[in-house]
Amino acid sequence: MKYDCMIVGGGLSGLALSILMARAQKKVLLIEKKKYPAHKVCGEYISNESRAFLIKLGIVPEQWHLPEINQLVFSDQRGRLIREQLDSGGFGIRRYALDEALFQIARKEGVDIRTSTTCLGYEKNMQGFKVLTNAGEFEGRILCGAFGRYAFGNFNKGQTGGENWVGVKHHLRGAFAADTIGLHLFEGGYCGMSKVDDEQYCLCYLVKAEMLKKYKGQISLLESEVLQKNPRLAEIWKEGQKVYEDPLTISNVTFYAKQAVADDVFYLGDSAGSIAPLTGNGMSNALRSAAMLEPLLNKVLNEEYSLAKAAKVYAQEWNQQMGQRIRAGRWIQYFFCQAALTPFFFFFVRNFAFVRRMIIRMTHGKSF
Ligand SMILES: Cc1cc2nc3c(=O)[nH]c(=O)nc-3n(C[C@H](O)[C@H](O)[C@H](O)COP(=O)(O)OP(=O)(O)OC[C@H]3O[C@@H](n4cnc5c(N)ncnc54)[C@H](O)[C@@H]3O)c2cc1C
């Protein structure tokens, strides 16, 4: 066997797991279809539950002078505001910078990273797995899927579901609050904005695919005709200067829990299930899954656990820690983006602090 552990996908979960496994003296292969650094559609707000883990990996938010975010403002389609203190809080960082920094750490730790390499599928054999890519085949004992939300080949086979969304991201500069994350509803979607590094703000929204279709796929038309009907978003568009002319977009975005383990392949981050960004914390889920999986994989490689036992423990832990949050997130997103229900839901959230607290509690986890 050439590798102890092969990881497909070098986003947050794949990079984090590769660093931990390499530090445990294991031979790790990481396959990533893109090159670093690269932009990614993401709101770029990381909850503080991941802070200690990121420091352990080698990313110290204080050294990066990252904006600390501890206030939330939330507006409905008419621009009516709810303000809430975010007790747990978080910070902002561009994925362009974060993924690149983790990539450099992984390289230093000795991970064999193959960039510009697209995985096509895998074969299982007596000794482990063979991974098939556009740049040849690789063999290893353990296989992990950390390729994000889009299944391919025989990975996560037959797993589909949920409503179809489109994600759009801009970076802006302007005189906005540095300690606040804004979440603003519009017809058929919602938009988040918060400060990141390099004096930029990340403005990222999700819109139902059917809504964008109504505007013939024209993003700027959708933004002027639909998003800016919310006066809070109109203000942002007026005050902000775009860092890049064109936004970054992704389509076919769905939110549902998949399987944490299938066919003895371990899945991390969005490959195992994506949480609706309205309730945040997809990045923390991705990092947390790496933190949960690493000790189990090392027990398998050190002959303390069978693969079956590690799979059972990981699936149970994953369901406990992430499954419930993903389901809660999907329902909350549904209530806020369903024209007939939004006013009632907004009324309850606006008038009852305990509802707001409950939502925050249901969608945030403990520090790890
Ligand atoms: C609109 C939107 C806003 C969001 N905002 C936030 C936010 O503010 N805060 C937050 O915490 N989360 C947010 N999220 C969620 C967050 O971005 C994801 O949960 C997180 O990136 C998941 O990390 P990952 O490692 O699972 O996957 P990714 O970071 O997506 O990494 C997957 C990697 O796999 C690679 N890959 C894919 N297929 C292959 C292949 N065949 N071969 C090789 N490599 C492959 C990809 O190139 C990619 O680099 C948001 C998501 C969306 C859609």
Side-chain angles (χ1 to χ4, degrees), residues 9 11-13 32-33 40 43-45 95 119 147 270 282-283:
L12 287 188
S13 58
E32 167 56 47
K33 70 177 176 187
K40 231 169 222 172
E44 303 182 330
Y45 164 82
R95 291 296 297 270
C119 178
F147 46 77
D270 282 1
M283 288 194 274

Side-chain angles (χ1 to χ4, degrees), residues 1-16:
M1 272 304 115
K2 185 151 186 223
Y3 296 99
D4 295 314
C5 178
M6 301 186 293
I7 304 167
V8 177
L12 287 188
S13 58
L15 283 164

Side-chain angles (χ1 to χ4, degrees), residues 21-94:
M21 294 299 290
R23 283 181 185 164
Q25 311 299 318
K26 300 298 183 294
K27 286 180 107 178
V28 186
L29 171 72
L30 184 73
I31 298 168
E32 167 56 47
K33 70 177 176 187
K34 292 193 182 152
K35 276 188 184 162
Y36 300 94
H39 288 285
K40 231 169 222 172
V41 174
C42 179
E44 303 182 330
Y45 164 82
I46 307 193
S47 142
N48 270 336
E49 66 190 79
S50 300
R51 185 182 282 264
F53 183 66
L54 278 170
I55 293 171
K56 183 175 162 190
L57 291 178
I59 308 280
V60 181
E62 287 74 14
Q63 285 171 0
W64 286 58
H65 307 293
L66 299 177
E68 298 290 337
I69 298 165
N70 49 34
Q71 305 292 322
L72 168 74
V73 296
F74 186 80
S75 74
D76 71 355
Q77 292 180 18
R78 289 162 51 191
R80 289 178 301 179
L81 280 182
I82 298 171
R83 288 180 193 280
E84 184 69 49
Q85 169 101 12
L86 274 179
D87 290 338
S88 49
F91 51 94
I93 181 168
R94 287 169 307 145

Side-chain angles (χ1 to χ4, degrees), residues 210-268:
E210 65 198 37
M211 190 61 159
L212 185 57
K213 212 167 149 197
K214 215 164 122 185
Y215 286 83
K216 302 198 166 42
Q218 295 180 54
I219 298 234
S220 57
L221 192 63
L222 177 88
E223 290 174 350
S224 59
E225 299 281 309
V226 180
L227 275 82
Q228 292 178 49
K229 272 199 184 145
N230 178 330
R232 307 294 167 184
L233 287 173
E235 273 166 33
I236 291 172
W237 250 270
K238 193 164 156 242
E239 300 298 328
Q241 298 100 48
K242 283 185 195 165
V243 177
Y244 308 102
E245 196 43 49
D246 294 319
L248 198 66
T249 60
I250 46 166
S251 54
N252 294 321
V253 180
T254 50
F255 301 99
Y256 62 102
K258 300 164 193 165
Q259 286 179 80
V261 190
D263 195 26
D264 291 337
V265 179
F266 293 85
Y267 291 96
L268 297 95

